[in-house]
Amino acid sequence: MRTLEADLLVLGGGLGGVAAALTAARLGHRVVLVERSGWLGGQLTTQAVPPDEHQWIEGEHSSPAYRRLRELVREHYRRTYPLLPRAAADPTLNPGLGYVSRLCCEPRVAALAVEELLSPAQGAGLLTVLRRTALTAVQRDGERIGEVLVHDLADGRPTRLLAPLVADATELGDVLELAGVEHVVGAEARSRTGEPHAPEVADPMDQQAVTWCCALEFRAGEDHTVERPAGYEHWRTAHDPRWPGPQLSFDDVVPETLARRTRPLFAADPILGEQRPQRDLWQYRRLLARTHLDPSFAGGEVTCVNWPQTDYWELPLLGVDAATRERALAGARELTLSFVHWLQTEAPRHDGGTGYPELRLRGDVTGTADGLAQEVYVRESRRVLAERTVTELDVGRLARGDGAGSAEFTDSVGIGYYRIDLHPSTSGRTYVDIDCFPFQVPLGALLPRDVVNLLAAAKNIGTTHVTNGAYRLHPVEFTIGEAVGALAAYCAEHGAAPSQVRADPAHLERYQGLLSGTLGVPLAWPEEIRRFSATHDVAHVTVPS
């Protein structure tokens, strides 16, 4: 059996895993990064979700590495696409002009940017990436993670991996389960967390809906109608009591108020590609906007379908057997394909009539043959029982009081911001979408309390079901990964364990200096931002992700 050794083993190639691997390698340490798909980037690429970010993301309130990733995306469009001069000259170019993000781009392009970001580390021989490779087993010896076994998904070939520190950056926190690490699934009870928005009784099945995204292009005068899915009639007539009508419709609810609303696919002629005042679904996560492009460009506009109508909540992914999980994944795929078929055949058109057969699934944009994303968009993972768990009492505006600001953590390893945004769940709960303050990421949330050499590096950190809704987005996951990579490097150089770094003020100060000084990672918000409330910020209130 082949054996690979490294200073840091990163399991999972999402944004947390990418950032952990990048950071440790930049600091001169050997990393093995394992990813089950062919692309790196997770929710940004294989799950096809444009980045959900805060309004200060373009400036000093994000790390240089994350800003570089975003700039690499923009550089690709400037170098290779026939952009009009005004678009090419825009320093904050938004390729798709989607209103969910300041950087809506094609997943394929984001994957190229991730590769370019990591290329120097690979060229230096510090980073080894195992693609299309899955976890087989994780050995645990008391308080330590030992060897990790993985296998190639193409030929089944096994590989043995060894490292003094292991990062779990998988989408569902798989290492936590395989190694028997203490963790929680679903919602904690209010009596345990003290959170105003936690349920009275713990509910492991209270897990946010997943979404199997897809990319659609509008091709005027063409017919690209997909085959009617076997379960189409189920989704066409399904009427959940949390919803104003059938799931295959343009009706949904405002997440903050649960008031009914209707948003059309197009508010005006989709061929023109202009930025329309009315926020229709097409503009929501549009990935490529014609208004940026020379008329000679042969393609049409492309958007990402990650809309409330494609949220799948019938079955959970966690705390169930493998067969149930597979049914859930199949159900999520069928729902999205059913919605696409409905759009093509039955949806009311902006210009009269029904159906948009002109809509074409773009699998080349997502890296698949069927037009769907490579992986399901996961909003909620297993969460480690950590040395420090972030609760609503730390970040929620209602829980802390207007103007109070978020809790200040002496062990901060980064910052982030997003509303607490919980989508309808597999237990029957509807939206929980509430305001929170810009927050810090405490080192204690990355450290399991029962294992000394495992680091949480994605959505599996020490948050609650409630606060996961704010800590799960792209830039925060990247920040978590950077903290993990820097911690691995610091521990190797100083002969310290992760918990020692947090517990010893001298270690902690030097480690935070590595983050903020060498790497430029911001560890605290300016006071006026820490106390900021987005209640009246329409750009953040009306856009659930």
Side-chain angles (χ1 to χ4, degrees):
M1 181 188 299
R2 179 176 65 156
T3 298
L4 295 178
E5 297 187 35
D7 300 313
L8 174 65
L9 172 58
V10 180
L11 302 171
L15 287 175
V18 164
L22 172 71
T23 306
R26 280 186 59 192
L27 296 171
H29 295 267
R30 295 173 303 133
V31 182
V32 172
L33 173 61
V34 178
E35 167 56 31
R36 66 173 292 114
S37 74
W39 287 359
L40 301 175
Q43 56 182 322
L44 181 63
T45 60
T46 59
Q47 298 174 32
V49 181
D52 292 288
E53 301 168 327
H54 56 71
Q55 57 265 57
W56 303 283
I57 201 68
E58 300 287 358
E60 61 184 350
H61 303 304
S62 61
S63 77
Y66 187 70
R67 293 200 301 272
R68 180 57 183 157
L69 174 60
R70 300 171 82 254
E71 186 56 29
L72 286 170
V73 170
R74 288 173 169 145
E75 286 179 6
H76 179 87
Y77 283 96
R78 294 189 185 108
R79 288 196 314 264
T80 64
Y81 277 61
L83 295 178
L84 294 174
R86 57 172 172 73
D90 184 356
T92 59
L93 171 67
N94 186 349
L97 286 176
Y99 62 83
V100 76
S101 171
R102 289 160 176 81
L103 188 67
C104 285
C105 67
E106 299 156 272
R108 176 187 60 81
V109 174
L112 293 172
V114 170
E115 292 298 328
E116 192 168 347
L117 189 69
L118 293 176
S119 186
Q122 292 178 280
L126 291 170
L127 173 61
T128 300
V129 181
L130 304 181
R131 303 170 194 276
R132 297 183 177 87
T133 300
L135 274 170
T136 305
V138 179
Q139 180 189 62
R140 177 173 174 179
D141 300 316
E143 293 184 331
R144 298 191 64 82
I145 300 297
E147 68 178 30
V148 174
L149 297 179
V150 298
H151 66 275
D152 188 291
L153 288 170
D155 60 18
R157 184 177 63 163
T159 300
R160 179 172 173 257
L161 304 174
L162 297 171
L165 285 176
V166 178
D168 182 359
T170 59
E171 293 298 323
L172 292 173
D174 294 335
V175 179
L176 304 182
E177 182 175 56
L178 288 171
V181 179
E182 293 181 334
H183 65 275
V184 64
V185 171
E188 301 92 340
R190 187 178 307 166
S191 59
R192 175 177 171 182
T193 67
E195 297 172 307
H197 289 87
E200 290 289 345
V201 179
D203 185 357
M205 295 299 103
D206 190 351
Q207 300 169 32
Q208 288 194 67
V210 298
T211 300
W212 211 301
C213 303
C214 69
L216 284 179
E217 178 185 16
F218 185 84
R219 304 284 297 183
E222 300 179 6
D223 188 338
H224 297 280
T225 305
V226 299
E227 184 179 349
R228 179 184 172 110
Y232 180 75
E233 196 60 28
H234 165 72
W235 298 113
R236 184 175 178 272
T237 59
H239 189 173
D240 191 283
R242 295 170 287 184
W243 219 241
Q247 198 154 356
L248 303 189
S249 71
F250 290 141
D251 297 330
D252 67 345
V253 299
V254 178
E256 302 79 30
T257 65
L258 305 184
R260 177 175 179 159
R261 67 180 173 187
T262 300
R263 291 182 294 177
L265 181 62
F266 298 113
D269 190 341
I271 301 175
L272 300 179
E274 78 274 19
Q275 190 76 350
R276 297 178 285 276
Q278 182 176 344
R279 290 182 162 183
D280 56 29
L281 284 173
W282 188 260
Q283 293 180 96
Y284 192 0
R285 285 187 167 87
R286 185 169 51 188
L287 306 174
L288 191 62
R290 281 289 328 191
T291 189
H292 280 332
L293 297 163
D294 187 89
S296 64
F297 183 71
E301 290 211 332
V302 180
T303 197
C304 169
V305 177
N306 174 19
W307 306 331
Q309 291 87 347
T310 54
D311 276 7
Y312 175 84
W313 53 58
E314 289 196 344
L315 291 171
L317 296 183
L318 300 174
V320 296
D321 58 34
T324 301
R325 183 176 304 163
E326 288 304 313
R327 287 200 303 274
L329 293 172
R333 292 177 63 87
E334 185 180 68
L335 170 58
T336 296
L337 287 171
S338 293
F339 187 63
V340 170
H341 185 77
W342 179 82
L343 287 173
Q344 294 171 324
T345 60
E346 296 192 64
R349 292 179 62 98
H350 69 288
D351 54 1
T354 57
Y356 289 97
E358 306 99 321
L359 296 175
R360 173 192 175 198
L361 281 167
R362 285 290 302 272
D364 55 325
V365 170
T366 58
T368 64
D370 61 9
L372 301 189
Q374 296 178 35
E375 305 281 349
V376 72
Y377 175 33
V378 174
R379 295 183 175 90
E380 187 168 341
S381 168
R382 302 176 181 90
R383 301 183 302 281
V384 68
L385 294 184
E387 291 189 8
R388 176 63 160 89
T389 298
V390 180
T391 73
E392 187 183 351
L393 303 179
D394 294 315
V395 300
R397 185 176 65 88
L398 179 65
R400 293 183 64 79
D402 286 335
S406 58
E408 297 178 273
F409 298 117
T410 58
D411 63 341
S412 173
V413 295
I415 59 174
Y417 177 51
Y418 201 75
R419 289 175 60 82
I420 293 174
D421 170 17
L422 303 181
H423 282 230
S425 83
T426 51
S427 71
R429 174 189 50 75
T430 188
Y431 283 103
V432 175
D433 195 300
I434 54 176
D435 192 19
C436 72
F437 297 108
F439 50 77
Q440 293 174 310
V441 180
L443 174 58
L446 281 53
L447 306 180
R449 64 188 190 187
D450 62 328
V451 182
V452 298
N453 69 330
L454 178 67
L455 304 170
K459 301 181 187 72
N460 55 350
I461 67 169
T463 56
T464 63
H465 175 68
V466 174
T467 54
N468 164 72
Y471 277 72
R472 64 182 173 81
L473 286 309
H474 303 64
V476 182
E477 187 177 347
F478 195 93
T479 291
I480 292 165
E482 285 186 292
V484 164
L487 183 60
Y490 183 91
C491 289
E493 293 170 10
H494 294 271
S499 290
Q500 287 179 296
V501 175
R502 180 173 184 254
D504 185 313
H507 273 315
L508 181 61
E509 182 179 2
R510 287 194 293 267
Y511 165 58
Q512 290 176 317
L514 174 65
L515 283 169
S516 61
T518 304
L519 299 173
V521 176
L523 303 184
W525 289 102
E527 190 64 11
E528 66 274 15
I529 297 181
R530 185 180 70 86
R531 297 175 183 272
F532 173 80
S533 170
T535 303
H536 303 296
D537 182 355
V538 175
H540 284 74
V541 169
T542 62
V543 183
S545 66

